[in-house]
Each structure stands twice: as C-alpha cells, then as structure tokens.
C-alpha cells in the first residue's frame, strides 16, 4: 500500500467501486491504493474507475503472462485468454539461436514481450501496429525487452531483411464482426480504439490479409498464430489454406480461447 494513504481507505474505496458495479471491488481497491501516490491521485483514480474506465487504463498497466505491461488510454488491454496463444507459440519457437518473433497488430506489444520472456534466451523481436497510440505504448514495453516497434499497415513497415526468416508470427488481430462491436462491454466499446476491435463484416478481414502476406515472411518451418472465436473456425481455416498454409487448432476450455496455428 502506498505510504501516503491510510489503511482505512480500503473499505471506503471498495464500497465506492462496488456501488459503481465493479465485481472485484476489494481487489481493485487494493490495486488502486497501492498505485496512488497521494489521496488526491487516489480520488481521481477511483472516480475514473467508477466512471467505467478499464482498471488497466486507470492503473497504467495490465498483468499478462505474469508480466506488468504498460497500457495507455485507448490502447487495447491484453486479454487473459490470449496468454494461451503465447503458451502455444512458446512451444513452437525454433531451437536455433535467436529465433525471429514478429508481433503484428501488436497493440501494447504484450504478446511479443511475453513470448520473448518465455523463450528465456535472446530472441530477435519485432512488433508493428497501425495506431500511433498503440505504437507509442508498445515502444514502452518492447524496447526494454530488446525489440523494435514499427508503425504502419500490417507487415508493411517491417524491415525487408525479415522476409522468409520469421519463426513465429503472432497476430492477435481485431476479430469482432462490425455488427457486434456495439454489443461489446462498454469498457471495450468506449475505451479501446475502434481499429483494435472491428474486424469487418465477419470479423476476419484483417486475418485474411495477414494470412495472405504471412508466407512471404515465415521461415520454412515458421508458424502464424492467431486468436479467433469458435464461430470463425471454418472461414478462418479456409483463409489460411487459401494462403497456402497448413492449419491446426488449439483450444483452452479454461481460458475460453481458440487459436489457429498455421504452418508454412
Ligand atoms: C485486438 S487488438 C490486439 C492487440 C494485441 N495484439 C493484444 O492482443 O493485446 C488489435 C490491434 O490491431 C491493430 N490493427 C488493426 N488494423 C491494423 C492494420 N491494418 N495494421 C496494423 N495494425 C492494425 C490495432 O491498432 C490494435 O492495436
């Protein structure tokens, strides 16, 4: 707990958060109290959270794969279920020294950073996103992990020297169908960028484009990993097959995650 704040803040903060509808009010109150440096800062944070801002945006970080990832306002908050994609990717890293990891549509950069940490040896990490706010945020996470971050459309900004050399291509792209964005929880709808959520008519527009360019970037035994919803299994699988890749699925019932893994 922050030294500046009295312990008796906890019941009051938890009560305020509970009345605003926060299900894990006590846990959140502890985190906010620990993060705030002054009572005024705590009051502002509690106010922001009670007004519906995602906890991670209020704190400025999200826990992902046991790491603290900076998450700036407006940037997609890495989801707990996506830890499953990272665990699948970790099992596919080439045993060669310094495998090449690319994190496309990187958002905060959480996936690449977590995979680099899981590799527990040097990796060559690159990440890219189209949204300048995401790129700024990713740089705060990826540069300290020894990687590079680029801004632009999909693989467009990657260095040409990576073509044909990527061991693991992570691509947790936007995959919500346009007509369902309005049905997302307000925390996502109102506080994450539309470009981070909207995947087009069936949610697979960005994934189809990633699949189409992936073969040019993957190493001969490289893999593309992407998260999809269960309803998207058939069309997403068809998209990677159409791109000349060999698909398989991995599922985690515990995390509610479906990951499409495509080998070159
Ligand atoms: C669902 S978020 C995922 C972010 C991150 N991969 C994660 O899982 O936390 C999708 C990200 O894709 C980015 N994005 C959307 N369209 C893009 C494009 N054409 N090129 C590059 N990035 C794009 C968005 O800015 C957003 O950061």
């Amino acid at each position: 707990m922050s030294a500046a704040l009295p312990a008796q803040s906890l019941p009051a903060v938890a009560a305020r958060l509970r009345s605003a509808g926060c299900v894990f009010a006590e846990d959140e109150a502890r985190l906010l109290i620990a993060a705030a440096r002054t009572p005024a800062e705590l009051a502002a944070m509690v106010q922001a959270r009670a007004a519906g801002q995602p906890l991670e945006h209020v704190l400025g970080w999200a826990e992902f794969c046991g790491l603290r990832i900076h998450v700036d306002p407006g940037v997609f908050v890495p989801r707990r279920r996506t830890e499953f994609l990272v665990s699948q990717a970790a099992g596919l890293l080439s045993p060669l020294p310094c495998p090449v990891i690319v994190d496309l549509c990187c958002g905060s950069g959480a996936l690449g950073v977590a995979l680099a940490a899981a590799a527990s040896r040097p990796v060559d990490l690159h990440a890219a996103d189209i949204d300048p706010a995401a790129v700024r945020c990713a740089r705060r996470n990826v540069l300290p992990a020894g990687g590079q971050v680029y801004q632009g459309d999909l693989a467009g900004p990657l260095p040409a020297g990576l073509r044909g050399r990527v061991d693991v291509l992570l691509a947790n792209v936007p995959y919500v169908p346009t007509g369902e964005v309005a049905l997302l929880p307000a925390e996502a709808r109102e506080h994450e960028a539309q470009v981070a959520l909207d995947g087009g008519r069936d949610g697979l527009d960005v994934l189809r484009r990633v699949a189409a360019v992936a073969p040019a970037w993957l190493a001969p035994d490289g893999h593309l990993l992407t998260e999809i919803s269960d309803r998207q299994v058939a069309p997403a699988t068809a998209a990677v097959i159409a791109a000349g890749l060999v698909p398989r699925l991995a599922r985690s019932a515990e995390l509610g995650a479906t990951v499409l893994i495509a080998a070159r």
Side-chain angles (χ1 to χ4, degrees), residues 196-217:
L197 304 171
D198 189 344
R201 193 183 50 77
D202 67 351
L204 295 174
D205 284 1
V206 184
L207 174 56
R208 283 193 193 88
R209 293 183 57 223
V210 168
V213 300
W217 295 91

Side-chain angles (χ1 to χ4, degrees), residues 82-242:
T82 308
E83 293 182 353
F84 180 64
L85 186 156
V86 174
S87 71
Q88 293 295 306
L92 292 169
L93 274 182
S94 137
L96 296 172
C98 209
V100 178
I101 298 170
V102 168
D103 184 359
L104 280 191
C105 296
C106 69
S108 65
L111 278 60
V113 169
L115 183 57
S120 55
R121 64 199 160 108
V123 298
D124 189 6
L125 173 61
H126 303 263
D129 200 285
I130 201 165
D131 175 5
V135 169
R136 272 195 303 276
C137 180
R139 289 201 168 117
R140 298 175 67 204
N141 293 306
V142 174
L143 301 191
Q148 298 294 321
V149 185
Y150 316 93
Q151 187 187 336
D153 184 31
L154 299 187
L158 295 177
L162 293 178
R163 281 181 176 270
R165 294 184 45 227
V166 177
D167 290 294
V168 170
L169 180 54
L170 307 165
N172 189 29
V173 304
Y175 62 87
V176 180
T178 303
E180 294 176 22
V181 171
L183 309 177
L184 291 172
E187 282 189 23
R189 214 174 353 102
E190 294 174 9
H191 298 281
E192 292 175 328
Q194 178 86 3
V195 70
L197 304 171
D198 189 344
R201 193 183 50 77
D202 67 351
L204 295 174
D205 284 1
V206 184
L207 174 56
R208 283 193 193 88
R209 293 183 57 223
V210 168
V213 300
W217 295 91
L218 288 174
D221 52 359
H223 292 84
L224 162 69
L225 293 96
T226 189
E227 191 176 277
I228 54 175
S229 72
D230 277 337
R231 281 182 300 147
Q232 294 170 327
V233 165
T237 302
V240 300
I241 291 172

